[in-house]
Amino acid sequence: MIRRLFIANRGEIALRVARTAQRLGMTAILGASQGDMASLPAMLADEVALVGPAPSAQSYLDVDAVIAAAIAARADAIHPGYGFLSENARFAKAAADAGISFVGPDISSLQAMGDKLMARAVGQAAGLPVVPGGEAATPEEALARARETGFPVLLKAVAGGGGKGMKRVEREEELIPMIAMAMAEAQASFGDPRVYVERFIASGRHVEVQVLGDGETAIHLGTRDCSIQRRFQKLVEEAPAPMLSDATRGGLERAAVALARSLHYKGAGTVEFLVDSRTGDFYFLEMNARIQVEHPVTEAITGVDLVEQQLLVAGGARLSLDQDAIRPRGHAIEVRINAEDPEADFRPSPGEVTRAAWPAGPGIRVDSHIASGGMIPPYYDSLMGKLIVWGEDRPAAVTRLARALDTLTIEGVATTAPIHRRIAADPRFVAGGVDTRFLEGL
Amino acid sequence: MSAPFLSPEDVGDIVAILDGSDYRELDIATTRFRLKVRRDEDGGGWSQEWQWAAQHAPVQTAGVAAPDTPEGLVAIRAPLPGTFYRAPAPGAAPFVELGSQAQPDTVVGIVETMKLMNPVHAGVSGEIVAFVAGNAEAIGHGAALIHIRPAPVSA
């Protein structure tokens, strides 16, 4: 049982975790940087502990500083949120060494999902399909792999992320020069030259499955579709994933549970897949061992508070839910309102929000730490709030989204709201099931 | 526990009550917050606008109160608020050193804003004579980063 919960994060997720912790009777202690001491989460937390100066390298990313602040605050558990130190095995271990529960999976699960090749191997061992391909230590090996999978192929950095070091190769004669370039880029960006070869899926959708585990058993809470992305950053997410056959949906859910069980997974996690929109075939990509930004769409259709489940499991409880207790109803869509200017190539737009009128009403949820007069500091990412809508079915949810976006007014900073209005009105989005190239055509 | 405040569920209940009434706006002010709930002009959706009393003392940023630019020098200013870096990566050589000659398009540093690296250009030709902002220092929008002595304009 957790009594004093240290929240090692900021922004909307810090506020969201604090709300559930307070509802469960815990004392919510916010670990804030100097730049966030006057933020809404700092105001609404029960206690605030300073973790360091504003730049995140000296505060939210500093393992020793965060652990020291949590010890000084006499915390018995740490919730890491998402991003920052949430999947950092050294951080989880430092918390354990200090006698503080880490609200997340065991260190072994964090390590198993550490890099892309290891995650691939662990997934395969649990019987999950992965995109045909594999490691390519030398150009010759890469060529052999590419011949097995067939062209075009993708070259990816083993230690990569965010699309860096990723290259598409159309023909065999292009492979050798491209692989040298990909290895050099991987070395420069990640300090690790290893690359691997994967078959290129022309029309792919990003579909993920929410899982919950307690170390003994694991269940799933259905699918989410996050195909609408810009530079590999998700912009729109929905649950359940639309336009999937029962066979594909059931296969995804069973695969996710199989992986969670094989890891003896504890807490909330997300298993990500690439779904070939033409064939319905799916491939395991990676597992995110933390709460996700888009978790509210799953909460909206299942009625389960995922942060509450995380806190209960971290406090030593067994899962009180079984698979039959999960009865998803209706459809939910989340859009990310970022302080970025879509008219200026999504240039960051920090500053004072002179007015923030968020939508309200039935079927609408807003997770945001920004009110009128709020500040968006330049040191962190640009997410200023999430608008989540629920409807009896997908068309009802899309209609509610369009209407809610019409009432949204943010003044003082540029936001991604205009692009969401265009998405909500786009016939391809209204029909549902778009692939990851959707934004290129908008 | 923190003092009670209106939860998102409470706001949902308030909207449901208003929705079944002739009222189109509710404006509550307490010592802690002000909340306005209102219906759109055209009878469309509802919105909620919060203002918090104790929030938002200005974010402290070092380097903003830099001294005036000395006579004969030009300040290169931050294009965005963020963190100033003199080198492209930790341990890498700085973009420019004291005494370096810069052209208008010379990159003299970067400002990291929301995880994006924004190059800072000199803007004028001349010699770098002072670093006003330190490496990895938090800086405000328009803060002086570097002083440069402009090269004489040739005819």
Side-chain angles (χ1 to χ4, degrees):
Chain A
M1 178 66 197
I2 299 166
R3 292 200 159 75
R4 295 178 58 78
L5 180 70
F6 190 92
I7 301 168
N9 214 299
R10 62 175 306 281
E12 66 87 18
I13 192 66
L15 193 55
R16 191 254 168 278
V17 171
R19 281 191 160 130
T20 289
Q22 289 171 336
R23 184 170 58 72
L24 296 176
M26 299 173 189
T27 299
I29 308 156
L30 182 76
S33 78
Q34 192 67 54
D36 282 327
M37 291 301 276
S39 67
L40 195 54
M43 233 181 88
L44 298 180
D46 300 300
E47 295 173 23
V48 181
L50 181 65
V51 294
S56 36
Q58 299 161 49
S59 50
Y60 298 111
L61 287 170
D62 184 334
V63 171
D64 299 332
V66 174
I67 295 292
I71 293 171
R74 293 174 293 113
D76 48 21
I78 294 183
H79 195 300
Y82 51 66
F84 293 132
L85 298 172
S86 60
E87 292 176 278
N88 185 309
R90 186 167 89 80
F91 180 61
K93 181 166 186 311
D97 289 348
I100 301 175
S101 310
F102 178 72
V103 182
D106 288 342
I107 292 163
S108 60
S109 296
L110 292 173
Q111 285 166 340
M113 293 297 137
D115 75 42
K116 291 188 175 191
L117 264 187
M118 202 190 298
R120 205 180 140 95
V122 171
Q124 271 179 307
L128 274 61
V130 297
V131 183
E135 188 171 3
T138 63
E140 294 69 35
E141 206 181 320
L143 192 60
R145 292 279 190 200
R147 282 180 177 151
E148 284 162 27
T149 63
F151 286 86
V153 294
L154 270 187
L155 300 177
K156 291 183 174 178
V158 172
K164 262 193 190 161
M166 217 146 102
K167 301 213 169 295
R168 180 175 158 181
V169 184
E170 298 294 329
R171 282 178 298 277
E172 196 169 311
E173 52 273 28
E174 292 171 5
L175 184 71
I176 300 293
M178 291 281 254
I179 198 126
M181 212 189 306
M183 284 176 158
E185 260 188 45
Q187 173 67 41
S189 300
F190 311 110
D192 178 349
R194 291 178 301 155
V195 297
Y196 65 106
V197 174
E198 256 183 28
R199 180 194 289 162
F200 175 72
I201 311 285
S203 174
R205 288 171 56 187
H206 179 113
V207 179
E208 58 190 31
V209 177
Q210 176 71 53
V211 294
L212 279 176
D214 61 12
E216 300 284 323
T217 187
I219 61 172
H220 72 81
L221 286 88
T223 54
R224 291 190 288 258
D225 190 313
C226 315
S227 297
I228 300 184
Q229 304 186 1
R230 179 191 62 86
R231 291 187 202 135
F232 305 97
Q233 295 272 0
K234 297 165 184 171
L235 267 183
V236 180
E237 301 102 344
E238 52 186 298
M243 315 284 274
L244 287 183
S245 70
D246 288 347
T248 299
R249 185 184 310 283
L252 287 164
E253 291 167 349
R254 281 191 297 276
V257 170
L259 179 65
R261 290 203 171 133
S262 82
L263 291 169
H264 300 285
Y265 195 82
K266 272 192 195 145
T270 296
V271 187
E272 298 194 333
F273 297 91
L274 178 66
V275 176
D276 188 327
S277 10
R278 289 180 188 149
T279 62
D281 292 341
F282 60 84
Y283 309 99
F284 167 64
L285 292 177
E286 62 183 318
M287 180 170 192
N288 294 314
R290 54 173 161 83
I291 195 80
Q292 299 266 105
V293 177
E294 60 270 25
H295 75 276
V297 289
T298 298
E299 295 184 331
I301 61 165
T302 60
V304 174
D305 181 333
L306 288 167
V307 172
E308 177 178 350
Q309 295 300 316
Q310 285 188 298
L311 293 172
L312 293 176
V313 171
R318 295 290 310 271
L319 272 187
S320 55
L321 299 164
D322 60 16
Q323 195 62 60
D324 287 341
I326 307 299
R327 298 277 169 85
R329 191 173 140 247
H331 196 92
I333 306 173
E334 172 183 286
V335 298
R336 298 192 189 187
I337 307 298
N338 296 340
E340 293 171 13
D341 188 353
E343 301 301 317
D345 196 27
F346 294 90
R347 180 186 163 110
S349 177
E352 186 186 347
V353 177
T354 49
R355 181 157 179 248
W358 294 95
I364 290 173
R365 167 175 168 182
V366 174
D367 280 18
S368 173
H369 60 297
I370 295 296
S372 290
M375 282 299 291
I376 301 175
Y379 312 107
Y380 316 109
D381 78 30
S382 60
L383 182 66
M384 60 180 290
K386 308 181 302 203
L387 166 62
I388 303 106
V389 298
W390 179 90
E392 287 287 348
D393 53 21
R394 191 171 185 280
V398 172
T399 303
R400 184 163 277 158
L401 174 65
R403 195 166 150 165
L405 283 167
D406 280 343
T407 66
L408 172 68
T409 309
I410 307 285
E411 291 168 8
V413 300
T415 77
T416 48
I419 196 163
H420 289 305
R421 292 191 185 103
R422 293 216 296 279
I423 292 170
D426 189 287
R428 295 170 301 157
F429 176 72
V430 173
V434 299
D435 69 25
T436 52
R437 298 169 303 176
F438 172 79
L439 269 192
E440 295 166 23
L442 191 76
Chain B
M1 296 316 93
S2 125
F5 66 98
L6 291 172
S7 70
E9 294 73 28
D10 297 333
V11 177
D13 290 346
I14 291 170
V15 170
I17 293 164
L18 291 175
D19 207 36
S21 77
D22 294 333
Y23 292 99
R24 39 172 299 152
E25 184 166 338
L26 173 78
D27 191 339
I28 318 170
T30 71
T31 51
R32 296 187 76 206
F33 65 84
R34 180 171 178 185
L35 169 64
K36 285 186 256 187
V37 178
R38 66 160 73 100
R39 192 202 290 267
D40 261 15
E41 293 290 318
D42 53 7
W46 290 88
S47 67
Q48 52 177 321
E49 182 181 351
W50 293 82
Q51 264 176 303
W52 294 87
Q55 207 189 352
H56 317 309
V59 177
Q60 292 297 317
T61 46
V64 176
D68 291 341
T69 311
E71 186 77 23
L73 301 184
V74 171
I76 303 174
R77 296 186 180 277
L80 287 163
T83 308
F84 175 63
Y85 291 103
R86 285 189 52 197
F95 290 102
V96 289
E97 300 280 6
L98 286 182
S100 295
Q101 293 295 323
Q103 300 301 313
D105 58 357
T106 301
V107 174
V108 295
I110 46 180
V111 171
E112 181 190 356
T113 303
M114 293 174 165
K115 298 184 189 168
L116 288 181
M117 300 296 176
N118 303 281
V120 181
H121 296 100
V124 292
S125 299
E127 180 193 347
I128 306 293
V129 295
F131 286 95
V132 185
N135 191 48
E137 190 173 301
I139 44 97
H141 178 254
L145 304 173
I146 289 174
H147 286 161
I148 190 164
R149 187 185 311 283
V153 182
S154 52

